[in-house]
Short mmCIF file of all heavy atoms in Angstrom, two decimals:
data_model
loop_
_atom_site.label_atom_id
_atom_site.label_comp_id
_atom_site.label_asym_id
_atom_site.label_seq_id
_atom_site.Cartn_x
_atom_site.Cartn_y
_atom_site.Cartn_z
N CYS A 483 92.37 123.76 97.62
CA CYS A 483 91.66 124.81 96.88
C CYS A 483 90.57 125.40 97.76
O CYS A 483 90.38 125.00 98.91
CB CYS A 483 91.04 124.22 95.61
SG CYS A 483 89.69 123.05 95.94
N ARG A 484 89.84 126.34 97.22
CA ARG A 484 88.79 127.01 98.01
C ARG A 484 87.68 126.05 98.42
O ARG A 484 87.14 126.15 99.52
CB ARG A 484 88.21 128.20 97.22
CG ARG A 484 89.18 129.36 97.09
CD ARG A 484 88.49 130.58 96.49
NE ARG A 484 89.43 131.68 96.37
CZ ARG A 484 89.71 132.52 97.35
NH1 ARG A 484 89.12 132.38 98.52
NH2 ARG A 484 90.57 133.51 97.18
N THR A 485 87.32 125.13 97.54
CA THR A 485 86.27 124.19 97.89
C THR A 485 86.73 123.26 99.00
O THR A 485 85.95 122.89 99.90
CB THR A 485 85.85 123.36 96.66
OG1 THR A 485 85.46 124.25 95.60
CG2 THR A 485 84.68 122.44 96.98
N TYR A 486 87.98 122.89 98.97
CA TYR A 486 88.58 122.08 100.03
C TYR A 486 88.47 122.81 101.36
O TYR A 486 88.03 122.25 102.38
CB TYR A 486 90.05 121.84 99.68
CG TYR A 486 90.70 120.59 100.23
CD1 TYR A 486 91.47 119.78 99.41
CD2 TYR A 486 90.57 120.23 101.57
CE1 TYR A 486 92.10 118.64 99.90
CE2 TYR A 486 91.20 119.10 102.07
CZ TYR A 486 91.97 118.31 101.22
OH TYR A 486 92.59 117.19 101.72
N HIS A 487 88.87 124.11 101.37
CA HIS A 487 88.75 124.93 102.58
C HIS A 487 87.29 125.02 103.02
O HIS A 487 86.98 124.95 104.22
CB HIS A 487 89.30 126.34 102.32
CG HIS A 487 90.79 126.43 102.41
ND1 HIS A 487 91.44 126.73 103.58
CD2 HIS A 487 91.75 126.27 101.46
CE1 HIS A 487 92.75 126.75 103.37
NE2 HIS A 487 92.97 126.47 102.09
N LEU A 488 86.41 125.20 102.04
CA LEU A 488 84.98 125.32 102.33
C LEU A 488 84.46 124.10 103.08
O LEU A 488 83.75 124.23 104.09
CB LEU A 488 84.22 125.51 101.02
CG LEU A 488 82.69 125.42 101.11
CD1 LEU A 488 82.13 126.68 101.71
CD2 LEU A 488 82.08 125.14 99.74
N VAL A 489 84.82 122.92 102.60
CA VAL A 489 84.35 121.69 103.22
C VAL A 489 84.83 121.60 104.67
O VAL A 489 84.04 121.29 105.58
CB VAL A 489 84.81 120.46 102.41
CG1 VAL A 489 84.61 119.17 103.21
CG2 VAL A 489 84.04 120.38 101.09
N TYR A 490 86.08 121.89 104.90
CA TYR A 490 86.61 121.82 106.26
C TYR A 490 85.93 122.85 107.18
O TYR A 490 85.60 122.55 108.33
CB TYR A 490 88.12 122.02 106.26
CG TYR A 490 88.92 120.77 106.00
CD1 TYR A 490 88.44 119.78 105.15
CD2 TYR A 490 90.16 120.58 106.59
CE1 TYR A 490 89.17 118.63 104.91
CE2 TYR A 490 90.91 119.43 106.35
CZ TYR A 490 90.41 118.45 105.50
OH TYR A 490 91.13 117.31 105.28
N ASN A 491 85.74 124.06 106.67
CA ASN A 491 85.09 125.10 107.47
C ASN A 491 83.67 124.70 107.85
O ASN A 491 83.22 124.89 108.99
CB ASN A 491 85.07 126.42 106.71
CG ASN A 491 86.43 127.09 106.64
OD1 ASN A 491 87.31 126.79 107.44
ND2 ASN A 491 86.62 127.98 105.68
N ARG A 492 82.96 124.13 106.89
CA ARG A 492 81.56 123.78 107.15
C ARG A 492 81.44 122.52 108.00
O ARG A 492 80.48 122.38 108.78
CB ARG A 492 80.80 123.66 105.83
CG ARG A 492 80.61 125.02 105.19
CD ARG A 492 79.94 125.00 103.84
NE ARG A 492 78.53 124.64 103.91
CZ ARG A 492 77.66 124.95 102.96
NH1 ARG A 492 78.05 125.67 101.92
NH2 ARG A 492 76.41 124.58 103.06
N LEU A 493 82.39 121.63 107.89
CA LEU A 493 82.40 120.48 108.81
C LEU A 493 82.64 120.93 110.24
O LEU A 493 82.01 120.41 111.17
CB LEU A 493 83.49 119.49 108.38
CG LEU A 493 83.19 118.61 107.17
CD1 LEU A 493 84.43 117.81 106.78
CD2 LEU A 493 82.01 117.67 107.43
N GLU A 494 83.50 121.91 110.42
CA GLU A 494 83.76 122.43 111.76
C GLU A 494 82.52 123.14 112.31
O GLU A 494 82.19 123.01 113.50
CB GLU A 494 84.95 123.37 111.75
CG GLU A 494 85.38 123.81 113.14
CD GLU A 494 86.71 124.52 113.17
OE1 GLU A 494 87.13 125.06 112.12
OE2 GLU A 494 87.35 124.52 114.24
N ALA A 495 81.82 123.89 111.44
CA ALA A 495 80.59 124.55 111.87
C ALA A 495 79.52 123.52 112.21
O ALA A 495 78.74 123.70 113.16
CB ALA A 495 80.09 125.49 110.77
N LEU A 496 79.49 122.43 111.45
CA LEU A 496 78.55 121.34 111.74
C LEU A 496 78.84 120.74 113.11
O LEU A 496 77.92 120.47 113.90
CB LEU A 496 78.66 120.27 110.65
CG LEU A 496 77.84 118.99 110.85
CD1 LEU A 496 76.35 119.30 110.89
CD2 LEU A 496 78.15 117.98 109.75
N GLU A 497 80.11 120.54 113.41
CA GLU A 497 80.48 120.01 114.72
C GLU A 497 80.03 120.95 115.83
O GLU A 497 79.47 120.51 116.84
CB GLU A 497 82.00 119.84 114.80
CG GLU A 497 82.48 119.33 116.15
CD GLU A 497 83.97 119.53 116.37
OE1 GLU A 497 84.43 120.67 116.21
OE2 GLU A 497 84.65 118.57 116.72
N GLU A 498 80.24 122.25 115.65
CA GLU A 498 79.87 123.23 116.68
C GLU A 498 78.37 123.19 116.95
O GLU A 498 77.93 123.18 118.11
CB GLU A 498 80.29 124.63 116.25
CG GLU A 498 79.95 125.71 117.27
CD GLU A 498 80.38 127.10 116.82
OE1 GLU A 498 80.99 127.21 115.74
OE2 GLU A 498 80.10 128.07 117.53
N ASP A 499 77.58 123.16 115.89
CA ASP A 499 76.12 123.12 116.07
C ASP A 499 75.69 121.81 116.70
O ASP A 499 74.81 121.79 117.58
CB ASP A 499 75.42 123.30 114.72
CG ASP A 499 73.92 123.35 114.86
OD1 ASP A 499 73.37 124.44 115.11
OD2 ASP A 499 73.28 122.28 114.76
N LEU A 500 76.31 120.72 116.28
CA LEU A 500 75.94 119.41 116.81
C LEU A 500 76.23 119.31 118.30
O LEU A 500 75.41 118.77 119.07
CB LEU A 500 76.69 118.31 116.05
CG LEU A 500 76.39 116.87 116.45
CD1 LEU A 500 74.91 116.56 116.26
CD2 LEU A 500 77.25 115.91 115.64
N LEU A 501 77.38 119.82 118.72
CA LEU A 501 77.73 119.76 120.14
C LEU A 501 76.75 120.59 120.99
O LEU A 501 76.37 120.19 122.08
CB LEU A 501 79.16 120.25 120.35
CG LEU A 501 80.25 119.34 119.75
CD1 LEU A 501 81.62 119.94 120.00
CD2 LEU A 501 80.16 117.93 120.30
N GLU A 502 76.34 121.75 120.47
CA GLU A 502 75.37 122.57 121.19
C GLU A 502 74.01 121.86 121.25
O GLU A 502 73.34 121.86 122.29
CB GLU A 502 75.20 123.93 120.51
CG GLU A 502 74.24 124.85 121.24
CD GLU A 502 74.04 126.18 120.52
OE1 GLU A 502 74.83 126.49 119.61
OE2 GLU A 502 73.09 126.90 120.88
N HIS A 503 73.64 121.25 120.15
CA HIS A 503 72.39 120.49 120.04
C HIS A 503 72.37 119.36 121.09
O HIS A 503 71.40 119.22 121.86
CB HIS A 503 72.31 119.93 118.61
CG HIS A 503 71.12 119.09 118.32
ND1 HIS A 503 70.90 118.54 117.08
CD2 HIS A 503 70.09 118.66 119.09
CE1 HIS A 503 69.78 117.84 117.10
NE2 HIS A 503 69.27 117.89 118.30
N ILE A 504 73.43 118.57 121.11
CA ILE A 504 73.51 117.45 122.06
C ILE A 504 73.54 117.96 123.50
O ILE A 504 72.92 117.37 124.40
CB ILE A 504 74.74 116.58 121.75
CG1 ILE A 504 74.54 115.88 120.40
CG2 ILE A 504 74.97 115.55 122.86
CD1 ILE A 504 75.76 115.09 119.93
N HIS A 505 74.25 119.06 123.74
CA HIS A 505 74.31 119.64 125.09
C HIS A 505 72.91 119.98 125.60
O HIS A 505 72.56 119.67 126.75
CB HIS A 505 75.18 120.89 125.07
CG HIS A 505 74.94 121.81 126.23
ND1 HIS A 505 75.33 121.52 127.52
CD2 HIS A 505 74.32 123.03 126.29
CE1 HIS A 505 74.97 122.51 128.32
NE2 HIS A 505 74.35 123.43 127.60
N LEU A 506 72.11 120.63 124.76
CA LEU A 506 70.77 121.03 125.19
C LEU A 506 69.92 119.83 125.58
O LEU A 506 69.08 119.91 126.49
CB LEU A 506 70.08 121.83 124.08
CG LEU A 506 70.59 123.24 123.83
CD1 LEU A 506 69.92 123.84 122.59
CD2 LEU A 506 70.37 124.13 125.04
#
Side-chain angles (χ1 to χ4, degrees):
C483 68
R484 289 189 180 275
T485 304
Y486 206 134
H487 280 269
L488 170 76
V489 167
Y490 275 34
N491 287 340
R492 290 177 70 158
L493 284 173
E494 187 169 23
L496 175 62
E497 178 197 53
E498 181 180 357
D499 183 86
L500 182 59
L501 293 179
E502 182 183 346
H503 178 179
I504 293 174
H505 160 72
L506 288 174

